[in-house]
Amino acid sequence: GSLAVDADGNVVAFTHDFGAGDKLPAPDGSLLSVFRNGRWHTTVLDPFLPAGWAVHRGNVTVDARGRILVALDATRDAGAHRWGHPSLECFLLASDDGGRTFACAQLSETNPDVPNWLPTITRQGPNHDLRTPLVLYTQGIAGKGCAPEDRTKVYAVWVA
């Protein structure tokens, strides 16, 4: 997934278990780990999604208020290959307690025929205090090479 650093200097890591290949459910799900007090503290993220959803992939950041934010896409079809699956939708997980628990909000408008996927979120860095992070994601089918003609839409959602 990705890495971030919180205001206390703790490393925050978002990881995916692709041990099952590109099929769900993955053996260990997607994990948020924080290196705090000399050891890793890990939380499985899939249970924070609405019932029946499983994480595909995503990114993590820490905003100016100290919240851990994970922008991710997820699918409801546990037996499906995840890449470009039409059931993919984008979600935001937000933690105010250092990654122990998360609130969930769906970012994309459900479209049963076309995936909403490949989200990314503004990352921290010099001169980036992340008062209002931005999530970008795409809506469009997975192609092969340059076919079919690209008809992807890109959406942007500000995180309040």
Side-chain angles (χ1 to χ4, degrees), residues 139-154:
Q139 181 185 74
I141 63 171
K144 295 188 182 214
C146 295
E149 183 180 332
D150 185 11
R151 299 192 190 284
T152 299
K153 296 178 182 176
V154 177

Side-chain angles (χ1 to χ4, degrees), residues 43-135:
T43 303
V44 178
L45 294 178
D46 299 76
F48 295 101
L49 293 172
W53 290 90
V55 175
H56 175 224
R57 61 182 70 222
N59 298 277
V60 66
T61 197
V62 179
D63 72 3
R65 298 189 316 193
R67 294 180 302 176
I68 296 174
L69 303 172
V70 182
L72 57 86
D73 54 16
T75 183
R76 333 183 106 155
D77 191 343
H81 284 282
R82 297 179 276 189
W83 183 257
H85 193 273
S87 72
L88 284 167
E89 298 296 341
C90 293
F91 295 88
L92 179 73
L93 298 181
S95 176
D96 287 318
D97 63 6
R100 294 170 188 87
T101 62
F102 289 84
C104 177
Q106 185 170 338
L107 299 175
S108 57
E109 185 176 326
T110 300
N111 182 330
D113 300 320
V114 181
N116 289 296
W117 59 321
L118 304 173
T120 190
I121 190 166
T122 310
R123 304 294 203 308
Q124 307 150 286
N127 304 314
H128 286 250
D129 67 3
L130 293 187
R131 290 181 196 166
T132 53
L134 180 68
V135 176

